[in-house]
Amino acid sequence: MEKMTQLTSTTTVLAIDDVDTDQIVPARYLTATTRDGIADALFVDWRLDANGNEIADFPLNQPGAADRRILVAGRNFGCGSSREHAPWALHDFGIRAVISSEIADIFRNNSLKNGLVPVVVDTETHRWLLDNPGVEVTVDVEARELHLPTGKTVGFPIEPFARHCILEGVDQTGFLMQNLENIVKFEQNRSWQP
Amino acid sequence: MGGKSLFEKVWDDHVVVPETEDTPAVFYIDLHIVHEVTTPQAFNMLRESGLPVRRPDLVLATMDHSTPTVPVSDLGAGLDAVSDPEPAEQIRAMVKNCEEFGIKLHGFGSNQRGIVHVIGPEIGATQPGKTIVCGDSHSSTHGAFGAMGFGIGTTEVLHVLTTQCLLQRKPKSMAVNVTGELKPGVSAKDIILALIGKMGVDGGTGHVIEYRGETIRRLNMEERLTICNMTIEGGARAGMIAPDETTFEFLKGRPQAPQGADWDAAIERWRKLCSDDDAVFDKEISLDVSDLEPQVTYGTNPGMVIPISKNVPRDTGDASFRKAIEYMQVEADKPMLGTRVDVVFVGSCTNSRLTDLRSVARILEGKRVADGVRMLVVPGSQAIKDRAEEEGLEKIFTAAGAEWREAGCSMCLGMNSDKLGKGELCVSTSNRNFEGRQGPGGRTVLASPETAAASAIAGVIADPREAL
């Protein structure tokens, strides 16, 4: 995983509530055995028409969208399926943070393991960001703060260990592996065996 | 300090290293269910790092999502003849990965193959008090046995394969109290759809639900599985029901259930798996089902649901509501009842068990699927398929004009050969009515098996209470 302490970017706004992971990556793109080329599947049914042409007014098709690193989305982003292909596709497209007033549990967990920072903010800040697409904001992972161009700063929660991994650019598997002795001991001392 | 809830008891029993402010708990997993779609990248990472699968004996492997629902004669030309090339490769990769890492695979030809969340209970691998994960969000299904089941991503699949553990923060708890007696023609599916409608698709975020109350206690295991299955559609990670005599009766004698003295010891342990009287929940909601009607969805998430006799809500100008009804081609303040149906799908980890198939057969017996309607009946496992054929259910389905298939996820998620065409409307017993879920441009109306069967005969969305 790449290191990230701060991220400054203009935003792309997708002002739809309850965007599910079937929209982020439709199931028919889950048949691959690697994650190569997964960005092509990102929002494919909202991004392209039946003939494969880009739908001009879809936010990710607008000029400059490919350079924007921050997606502002409607409430409860990433609900539905547990497919990690959803954060993979967003990351491979270039997105490094998703801001919403609420982000679904499994998607949030998967994002944190892939260098995609879930940023949950209060509804007032969220509303302002939805109403002002394209503004430049800074996600400060170190300080757990979001800086708006109005000068306003709001805090956001991030699980401390996941934050540590993002700041250091390390994955979480290593930490689990260091606990192997504890795991063996746990297995030996259980009152029942699965 | 209050007593402990069921969830807290199971949680505490699996903490290897407690959480601290800086680090999550190292949390032990008793059963890891794997399928072909969300594991190949994890197996690739395992191969690259040279690590083994630590506890292959705690892995239950099958193939269900991308598999064809017509017979597959062999994994070579036989599979190619009935599958698109990419899913076929994924299926072959699963066979190879399981061979290489010493995992027993319930593949084609096995009478224990089926949908991940159907075979776990069926072979008795799903048991009270276990922690059960799978790279599939409907892992909440297993909570019907008083297990803690939840969906994980592919990185976490790797974590469990290498260490049998996950890094977890303790979720909050939520009690859902269900009371009242269901009327004829109303089922467990209608209870869970109504609950999601009430709490919203994010009402359970961050929580583990415990379903409680007299109504839940009266449900059989298949009905409890249906309820816990759709827990994730309310945003909650897991949904649990305390085990009781119904649970033990179901499990007794199943191939992987404890036997002999082990069974007696297990029962003694399982009886303690209930919430203490003074357990405290972070959140609590109630539902009285005495007057509950069959439910149908009108929009593009499972929370957009109405009682079948009522109208789609009024348009209040909400953008997401408008986008949903436009996609579904339904009108605000108009009924769903009477809407023309193209396809009826009976299947999925929500409603593909023997009791579901029997309910459908009771309504279809001696009748015909309406002209112009295609009906698919897809059993959740090969064992269910065999049993349904022994009971003669298959003959009722085929005589009515429905297609009877091999076990699999089928048309629930549009990643195998069973898909909706653009614009087609499907009354489906599955769990998600997201845009394009059953195929690009397809329109899904979620409902119970009874409502699906009644609609298949009528050719329009129909009230099953009139078909009884």
Side-chain angles (χ1 to χ4, degrees), chain B residues 103-368:
Chain B
I103 295 167
K104 183 181 174 192
L105 174 68
H106 301 275
F108 294 124
S110 164
N111 64 359
Q112 293 187 341
R113 191 185 72 80
I115 303 176
V116 279
H117 310 309
V118 174
I119 64 168
E122 193 170 85
I123 65 178
T126 300
Q127 294 167 15
K130 276 192 182 182
T131 49
I132 302 176
V133 297
C134 173
D136 187 287
S137 60
H138 292 107
S139 305
S140 58
T141 311
H142 305 272
F145 287 77
M148 184 183 169
F150 55 98
I152 56 175
T154 299
T155 302
E156 290 179 317
V157 168
L158 175 72
H159 290 173
V160 183
L161 289 176
T162 51
T163 66
Q164 205 56 34
C165 286
L166 286 172
L167 292 170
Q168 291 284 302
R169 292 278 176 190
K170 189 177 174 182
K172 293 185 194 136
S173 61
M174 176 172 173
V176 172
N177 303 304
V178 187
T179 53
E181 191 144 355
L182 286 176
K183 296 227 164 76
V186 187
S187 76
K189 179 65 163 285
D190 300 308
I191 297 179
I192 189 63
L193 283 172
L195 270 170
I196 296 162
K198 183 177 170 132
M199 64 192 243
V201 289
D202 56 354
T205 302
H207 292 75
V208 169
I209 290 177
E210 181 181 340
Y211 298 100
R212 304 150 59 88
E214 39 151 348
T215 314
I216 300 293
R217 293 265 71 89
R218 278 197 297 268
L219 298 178
N220 64 34
M221 287 316 296
E222 287 88 344
E223 293 168 319
R224 294 181 189 185
L225 285 159
T226 297
I227 290 195
C228 289
N229 172 269
M230 287 191 72
T231 298
I232 180 68
E233 311 313 335
R237 282 305 291 283
M240 303 172 73
I241 294 173
D244 57 14
E245 297 309 317
T246 306
T247 320
F248 309 148
E249 188 58 36
F250 181 98
L251 275 175
K252 195 165 189 186
R254 299 211 175 237
Q256 294 197 20
Q259 315 287 335
D262 289 343
W263 171 258
D264 297 336
I267 293 270
E268 198 186 324
R269 182 165 53 83
W270 294 344
R271 284 195 203 283
K272 295 175 193 145
L273 293 171
C274 57
S275 290
D276 297 333
D277 291 340
D278 55 346
V280 179
F281 294 88
D282 297 299
K283 200 169 171 178
E284 199 151 350
I285 65 165
S286 296
L287 181 76
D288 181 352
V289 299
S290 310
D291 294 319
L292 190 73
E293 287 188 32
Q295 307 281 309
V296 286
T297 59
Y298 62 86
T300 53
N301 72 51
M304 293 174 156
V305 63
I306 50 171
I308 198 160
S309 74
K310 299 286 191 298
N311 287 355
V312 172
R314 291 211 171 90
D315 184 358
T316 57
D318 180 78
S320 298
F321 172 81
R322 281 190 180 164
K323 185 177 185 331
I325 63 166
E326 190 185 321
Y327 180 86
M328 287 300 294
Q329 300 169 37
V330 302
E331 282 181 68
D333 206 23
K334 291 273 164 55
M336 291 298 288
L337 211 53
T339 306
R340 210 176 68 82
V341 170
D342 301 301
V343 179
V344 170
F345 172 59
V346 174
S348 87
C349 55
T350 315
N351 283 123
S352 62
R353 298 177 180 85
L354 201 58
T355 49
D356 300 316
L357 302 185
R358 287 179 187 148
S359 299
V360 171
R362 263 196 297 277
I363 293 174
L364 281 188
E365 187 155 26
K367 306 229 170 51
R368 290 283 304 170

Side-chain angles (χ1 to χ4, degrees), chain A residues 15-23 26-36 45-46 50 75-76 79-85 88 102-106 108-110 113-114 159-162 164-165 171-187 190-194, chain B residues 13-17 21-24 26 28 30 37-38 40-41 44 51 54-55 58 66 86-87 89-90 93 129-130 135-137 151-156 158-159 162-167 169 201-202 204-207 232 235 237 269 300-301 320 323 413-415 419 422 432 434-435 437 440:
Chain A
I16 301 165
D17 290 343
D18 304 313
V19 171
D20 58 80
T21 54
D22 272 83
Q23 307 316 314
R28 62 186 188 277
Y29 292 92
L30 307 184
T31 53
T33 53
T34 68
R35 53 180 279 186
D36 301 340
D45 292 335
W46 286 0
R75 187 172 58 92
N76 193 31
C79 60
S81 148
S82 63
R83 60 192 67 167
E84 199 159 319
H85 307 68
W88 290 342
E102 195 175 296
I103 294 177
D105 282 340
I106 305 180
R108 193 186 56 234
N109 280 335
N110 286 338
K113 293 176 178 68
N114 288 283
E159 198 283 306
F161 183 68
H164 161 81
C165 290
D171 70 40
Q172 302 185 4
T173 316
F175 177 77
L176 267 173
M177 297 296 288
Q178 287 166 22
N179 273 286
L180 272 178
E181 240 174 81
N182 290 324
I183 296 166
V184 171
K185 213 179 294 165
F186 174 88
E187 285 174 330
R190 292 187 86 171
S191 61
W192 62 281
Q193 294 296 327
Chain B
D13 194 33
H14 292 85
V15 174
V16 176
V17 181
E21 204 176 304
D22 294 335
T23 51
V26 176
Y28 198 80
D30 296 320
V37 176
T38 53
Q41 294 86 353
N44 290 345
L51 290 165
R54 193 165 167 274
R55 292 290 302 265
L58 299 184
S66 58
E86 226 182 29
E89 277 318 304
Q90 194 171 53
K130 276 192 182 182
D136 187 287
S137 60
I152 56 175
T154 299
T155 302
E156 290 179 317
L158 175 72
H159 290 173
T162 51
T163 66
Q164 205 56 34
C165 286
L166 286 172
L167 292 170
R169 292 278 176 190
V201 289
D202 56 354
T205 302
H207 292 75
I232 180 68
R237 282 305 291 283
R269 182 165 53 83
T300 53
N301 72 51
S320 298
K323 185 177 185 331
L413 83 170
M415 73 169 300
K419 283 178 190 158
K422 192 171 186 319
R432 285 182 175 143
F434 298 151
E435 280 185 33
R437 170 78 178 181

Side-chain angles (χ1 to χ4, degrees), chain B residues 411-452:
Chain B
M411 205 185 264
C412 173
L413 83 170
M415 73 169 300
N416 48 64
S417 310
D418 304 334
K419 283 178 190 158
L420 288 184
K422 192 171 186 319
E424 283 187 324
L425 186 129
C426 177
V427 176
S428 177
T429 67
S430 57
N431 41 55
R432 285 182 175 143
N433 51 339
F434 298 151
E435 280 185 33
R437 170 78 178 181
Q438 297 187 282
R443 299 179 291 150
T444 303
V445 173
L446 299 178
S448 69
E450 291 84 350
T451 303

Side-chain angles (χ1 to χ4, degrees), chain A residues 7-163:
Chain A
L7 168 70
T8 299
S9 169
T10 51
T11 62
T12 295
V13 170
L14 186 60
I16 301 165
D17 290 343
D18 304 313
V19 171
D20 58 80
T21 54
D22 272 83
Q23 307 316 314
I24 303 174
V25 177
R28 62 186 188 277
Y29 292 92
L30 307 184
T31 53
T33 53
T34 68
R35 53 180 279 186
D36 301 340
I38 191 75
D40 293 342
L42 181 66
F43 285 115
V44 68
D45 292 335
W46 286 0
R47 216 150 48 84
L48 306 180
D49 65 20
N51 301 317
N53 300 315
E54 287 195 355
I55 297 167
D57 65 353
F58 185 67
L60 288 173
N61 287 338
Q62 283 162 18
D67 300 320
R68 298 194 177 122
R69 299 281 165 262
I70 297 176
L71 179 69
V72 175
R75 187 172 58 92
N76 193 31
F77 186 77
C79 60
S81 148
S82 63
R83 60 192 67 167
E84 199 159 319
H85 307 68
W88 290 342
L90 284 160
H91 188 276
D92 288 4
F93 186 85
I95 304 292
R96 294 291 178 271
V98 177
I99 306 177
S100 182
S101 58
E102 195 175 296
I103 294 177
D105 282 340
I106 305 180
F107 176 82
R108 193 186 56 234
N109 280 335
N110 286 338
S111 295
L112 285 167
K113 293 176 178 68
N114 288 283
L116 180 66
V117 184
V119 179
V120 174
V121 295
D122 62 274
T123 49
E124 192 193 324
T125 305
H126 185 225
R127 188 70 257 163
W128 187 87
L129 285 163
L130 290 173
D131 291 343
N132 292 277
V135 294
E136 189 176 88
V137 302
T138 297
V139 173
D140 188 332
V141 179
E142 178 113 59
R144 305 164 217 224
E145 284 171 351
L146 173 70
H147 302 286
L148 304 181
T150 55
K152 188 176 166 186
T153 293
V154 292
F156 65 87
I158 180 167
E159 198 283 306
F161 183 68
R163 169 177 165 270

